Amino acid sequence: MVQQLNQFIQRYMPILTPLSLVIGVILEQIGSNFLFLVPILFAVMTFISSLSLKFRDIKVFKMYPKTILFVIAFLHILMPLWAYTIAELIFDDYLLTIGFILSVAVPTGVTSVIWVTISKGNLPLCLAIILIDTLLAPILMPLLLHIVVGETIHIETAALIIDLILMIVLPSFVGMFINEWTKGELQKRYNQPFALISKLCLFGIIMINSSAIAPYVKNINAELALVIGTVLFVAVSGYILALALGKLFLKSKADQATFIFNGGMRNIAVGVVIATTYFPSKVAMPVVFGMLFQQVLASIFFKVTRT
């Protein structure tokens, strides 16, 4: 039954994700009472995701140092600059600009492993990028946010770093330690229940945090449509840039596929948590809407890589 439910959720992710957002907006008053659960749900997601990682994945850096640094530079320099430029050109609202930067400055998505695997990409390289980028998040994200918005909005940098460590780094280390200790048996034995729990946590995060942006989403207007359209444009252009740069600088098709999905996908859930915790609720709009297109765009560009 768990496996069937997993398959059902996986199949209808493009529908269930926006549905979770809608439910969260409708249940605004209820969801706002459970905001304290969001960091816990995210830590659980991170822990489960890390059960497939190993400490030796870091050693892959010695094999692909330039490629890994190239991907991290793309994720945390090029894409934030691109998102900043687009947001500044389209919107006269620094809160939305912060939201767009935050939506692309978060670590690469763990679910990129799925797409790298089925596209016959370089899985060891993918795992190393995810692990290294995740562990660097408490340094790179606060630094980038401080550079971009530090003078506009006061950020509790120390608290942000601590939250990132508790939500990402600590659960990752615990997950990897347990994976090494059990020699991968825990993940193999309980893969389906863990996958289901992780998906449910994601839906919970979306629903709870949607209550924060409910005042903006309930009033459907031209600005809201423009925000959603711009989020889609930034996401698509990120994939296209990753595709173009991968073909230009990487010789191996496996490495190119890895770069496309590591560069295109994001761990957006952490961005939602940061946006709703440290910024005015409007900042969360571009971040939350970014969840709507992740899996759909990944499937489209998977087909592109096959041509």
Side-chain angles (χ1 to χ4, degrees):
M1 186 179 71
V2 171
Q3 184 176 359
Q4 290 176 341
L5 186 56
N6 250 325
Q7 292 173 347
F8 174 82
I9 293 175
Q10 188 67 41
R11 182 179 179 182
Y12 292 101
M13 278 289 282
I15 298 173
L16 294 174
T17 303
L19 182 61
S20 300
L21 191 151
V22 172
I23 293 173
V25 171
I26 294 173
L27 302 177
E28 175 188 358
Q29 299 300 324
I30 299 174
S32 59
N33 295 322
F34 292 95
L35 285 171
F36 70 94
L37 287 176
V38 173
I40 299 172
L41 293 175
F42 187 82
V44 171
M45 280 179 57
T46 306
F47 167 74
I48 292 173
S49 300
S50 300
L51 286 172
S52 60
L53 300 176
K54 297 178 180 179
F55 287 105
R56 65 171 175 264
D57 290 332
I58 299 177
K59 296 180 180 179
V60 177
F61 183 82
K62 295 180 180 179
M63 299 172 59
Y64 307 97
K66 293 181 180 178
T67 304
I68 292 174
L69 290 174
F70 179 47
V71 175
I72 290 175
F74 176 84
L75 290 168
H76 300 290
I77 298 176
L78 181 59
M79 283 308 298
L81 284 173
W82 175 241
Y84 173 81
T85 302
I86 296 299
E88 284 290 294
L89 287 173
I90 297 177
F91 302 99
D92 185 22
D93 191 328
Y94 71 93
L95 292 178
L96 289 177
T97 299
I98 295 170
F100 276 99
I101 295 170
L102 187 58
S103 68
V104 297
V106 293
T108 185
V110 176
T111 51
S112 59
V113 171
I114 299 170
W115 296 102
V116 169
T117 300
I118 64 175
S119 62
K120 298 180 180 179
N122 189 332
L123 187 58
L125 175 61
C126 174
L127 292 171
I129 291 169
I130 291 171
L131 180 54
I132 293 170
D133 193 38
T134 297
L135 297 179
L136 287 175
I139 299 172
L140 296 178
M141 284 187 65
L143 178 62
L144 181 61
L145 289 172
H146 184 74
I147 292 172
V148 176
V149 303
E151 296 179 0
T152 307
I153 297 177
H154 176 67
I155 305 174
E156 295 289 344
T157 308
L160 174 57
I161 293 172
I162 292 171
D163 275 354
L164 287 170
I165 291 173
L166 293 176
M167 288 190 301
I168 299 178
V169 178
L170 187 59
S172 296
F173 271 115
V174 174
M176 287 188 291
F177 176 78
I178 292 176
N179 187 35
E180 297 278 6
W181 184 41
T182 62
K183 297 180 180 179
E185 286 301 317
L186 185 68
Q187 172 67 3
K188 290 179 183 178
R189 183 176 298 181
Y190 299 105
N191 178 52
Q192 290 296 326
F194 282 154
L196 180 59
I197 291 170
S198 185
K199 291 182 180 71
L200 294 177
C201 285
L202 176 61
F203 293 141
I205 290 171
I206 296 172
M207 282 190 281
I208 294 171
N209 280 318
S210 296
S211 63
I213 65 167
Y216 302 100
V217 177
K218 284 183 176 179
N219 299 318
I220 299 176
N221 52 35
E223 183 185 55
L224 178 63
L226 189 58
V227 169
I228 297 174
T230 307
V231 168
L232 177 59
F233 174 76
V234 171
V236 172
S237 60
Y239 270 102
I240 293 173
L241 282 170
L243 178 65
L245 291 174
K247 288 188 175 182
L248 188 62
F249 293 107
L250 301 175
K251 296 180 181 179
S252 165
K253 286 190 175 181
D255 291 354
Q256 291 174 12
T258 303
F259 181 48
I260 289 170
F261 293 108
N262 278 134
M265 302 196 78
R266 293 293 187 281
N267 199 344
I268 296 181
V270 70
V272 175
V273 176
I274 298 303
T276 54
T277 304
Y278 292 95
F279 298 99
S281 56
K282 195 173 186 179
V283 171
M285 286 178 64
V287 189
V288 172
F289 290 133
M291 291 182 170
L292 303 180
F293 309 114
Q294 281 258 55
Q295 300 302 323
V296 175
L297 290 178
S299 64
I300 291 173
F301 278 87
F302 164 69
K303 293 177 183 178
V304 171
T305 60
R306 304 291 289 177
T307 59

